[in-house]
Amino acid sequence: MAVPLSSVPPAAPGRRGGPGGSGFGPGPRRTSHIHGSPWVTLAFLAPYLVVFLAFVALPAVYGIWISLHDWDFTLPSRPWVGGQNYADLFDPESVQYEQFWNGMKNTGLFTLFSVPLLIVLPLALALLLNLKFPGRTFFRAVFFAPYVLGVAVIGIMWRYLLDGNFGIVNRILGTNIQWTTSQPWTWIGLVGVTVWWTMGFNAVIYMAGLANIPTDQYEAAALDGAGPWKRFLHVTLPGLRPVVIFVLVTTVLASANMFGQSYTITQGGPAESTRTAIMVITDLGFSQSRAGQAAAESYILAFFLIVVSIAQFWATRDRSAGRERKEARAAERRYRERLAADDEEGRR
C-alpha cells in the first residue's frame, strides 16, 4: 500500500536522508581537515604578505623614523630632531614652509581641475562605447591605447606638441599660445593631456560596471514609460554606484600624486606655478639630500589624502542601505529577545 507523502514525518534537523540517516533534509557537511585549516589561507596569502611587508609596511615605518632625524645621505651623522621637521612645515619663518604649501596648493588646483573631467567624460564615453555599432571594439582600443604609454613618453611627446614656437597644436588651432610657459594655458595643457591619457582607463572600468547591470531593469523601466534620461538616473547611476566610488577615490589619489606630466612638460613653471607637492618632495629628498624633511612632507601629504579619502567614502555612502541594515539588525534583535522571553515563560 502506498503511503502518502503527507503522512511522512519531516526530517529531523541535522540528519541526512539515505543510508545512515533517518531524514530527508541535508545533514551536516563533512569538512576536510585540509580545506578547513587556517594554514591554507595563510599559505595563499603568504606571497602577498611578504611583498607587502618588504616593500610597503616596513618602508612606511622606516620613513617615519627618517622623518624624526636630520637625515642627510651624504653625511655620516644623522642627529635626532624629533618633530622639528614637521613643525618647520607649519612655521612661516622656515625655509620649507612656502615651497611645500605652494606645492600643496598646486596639487589641489590640479586635482580640482582634472577630477571632475575624469569622472564625467569617461562615463559619457563608456555609455557611447557600450552601444552596439560597427567598429565598437576598434574604438574601444583606440581610446584605451594612450593609457598603456608611460608618463615619460606622454610628457615628452606633448612637450613638443604644445611648444609655443613650433608645436603642432598651435598650427592646428591657428593660435600663438605659449602652452608650457604662460598661465592659465599651462594648467589647461596639463589637465588636457592628463584627461586624454587616462580617460580610456576610467571608461573601461565604467564599461565593466555597465555590463553587470541586468538588462531586465532597463526593460522594466521602459515598460513603466521611463525615457533615456530617467533610465540613466534611476537604473544606470544606482547600478554604477560602487564603480563611481572606486573611480572617484582612485582618480583623486592619482591626481594628488601627479608628478610626471608637470616635470616633463612644464618643469614646474612658469614661476613654480605648476610645481606639485611630489616635485617639491622629490627635489628636497634626492637633489638636496634632505631626506628627513622630505619624509615629513610626504607624511603630511599622505595625511591629507587619507582625510580626503575618508570624506569621499562618507559623502558617497549608501545611506538608505545603511538604514535598512540597521532596521534589519534591530528586527533580528527584537526577534531573539521575543524567543528568549517565550523560552523563559515556557520553563516557568
Side-chain angles (χ1 to χ4, degrees), residues 2-348:
V3 180
L5 292 177
S6 59
S7 63
V8 178
R15 299 295 185 93
R16 294 182 66 88
S22 59
F24 291 89
R29 295 181 178 179
R30 293 182 179 179
T31 58
S32 170
H33 292 289
I34 297 178
H35 294 85
S37 174
W39 294 105
V40 176
T41 304
L42 292 176
F44 280 102
L45 289 176
Y48 169 77
L49 291 177
V50 170
V51 174
F52 176 79
L53 289 174
F55 296 100
V56 178
L58 292 179
V61 175
Y62 191 54
I64 296 176
W65 177 256
I66 291 176
S67 70
L68 301 177
H69 293 75
D70 185 7
W71 198 286
D72 192 328
F73 291 112
T74 62
L75 299 177
S77 63
R78 292 152 188 176
W80 170 273
V81 296
Q84 187 61 42
N85 288 330
Y86 294 93
D88 289 342
L89 299 178
F90 297 94
D91 183 8
E93 301 297 328
S94 67
V95 178
Q96 294 304 318
Y97 176 84
E98 183 177 357
Q99 294 183 4
F100 175 68
W101 291 109
N102 179 66
M104 292 289 286
K105 181 195 72 173
N106 295 333
T107 300
L109 288 175
F110 178 80
T111 304
L112 181 64
F113 296 152
S114 63
V115 169
L117 297 176
L118 286 172
I119 298 297
V120 176
L121 293 182
L123 177 57
L125 179 62
L127 292 173
L128 291 175
L129 295 178
N130 200 48
L131 301 175
K132 294 183 179 180
F133 58 89
R136 181 177 64 170
T137 304
F138 169 77
F139 284 103
R140 287 180 175 181
V142 166
F143 282 104
F144 183 76
Y147 187 75
V148 304
L149 300 176
V151 64
V153 176
I154 296 296
I156 294 175
M157 178 182 69
W158 279 100
R159 179 181 176 181
Y160 286 101
L161 293 177
L162 293 173
D163 190 275
N165 298 322
F166 55 82
I168 195 174
V169 173
N170 275 340
R171 293 187 180 183
I172 293 175
L173 299 178
T175 58
N176 188 25
I177 298 174
Q178 298 297 321
W179 296 95
T180 60
T181 58
S182 64
Q183 289 287 17
W185 305 110
T186 50
W187 278 126
I188 295 175
L190 288 174
V191 171
V193 169
T194 303
V195 171
W196 172 83
W197 178 37
T198 59
M199 180 174 61
F201 175 77
N202 286 354
V204 169
I205 302 298
Y206 279 129
M207 283 189 289
L210 290 172
N212 290 327
I213 300 177
T215 56
D216 55 357
Q217 294 185 7
Y218 290 101
E219 295 173 357
L223 291 175
D224 290 339
W229 178 245
K230 288 188 176 180
R231 290 198 298 268
F232 172 77
L233 289 179
H234 300 288
V235 178
T236 304
L237 282 184
L240 288 178
R241 185 183 185 85
V243 178
V244 172
I245 295 174
F246 172 79
V247 172
L248 175 63
V249 173
T250 55
T251 303
V252 169
L253 294 179
S255 298
N257 286 279
M258 192 271 281
F259 170 80
Q261 302 95 296
S262 184
Y263 183 80
T264 56
I265 297 176
T266 65
Q267 290 81 46
E272 298 189 350
S273 60
T274 60
R275 195 172 187 231
T276 61
I278 298 295
M279 293 184 67
V280 175
I281 294 170
T282 303
D283 178 70
L284 185 63
F286 293 99
S287 299
Q288 304 180 34
S289 300
R290 298 162 67 181
Q293 292 181 345
E297 292 181 357
S298 65
Y299 281 101
I300 295 296
L301 175 62
F303 173 77
F304 276 97
L305 294 181
I306 291 172
V307 172
V308 170
S309 299
I310 294 175
Q312 288 175 343
F313 278 112
W314 181 84
T316 57
R317 72 188 190 279
D318 193 348
R319 295 175 177 81
S320 61
R323 287 194 298 268
E324 291 176 359
R325 287 194 295 269
K326 290 181 181 179
E327 293 173 358
R329 286 196 294 266
E332 183 180 0
R333 186 169 57 251
R334 289 193 299 268
Y335 176 72
R336 294 188 181 207
E337 291 174 354
R338 187 167 61 251
L339 285 181
D342 292 344
D343 290 342
E344 183 67 23
E345 185 178 354
R347 283 193 295 269
R348 291 177 184 176

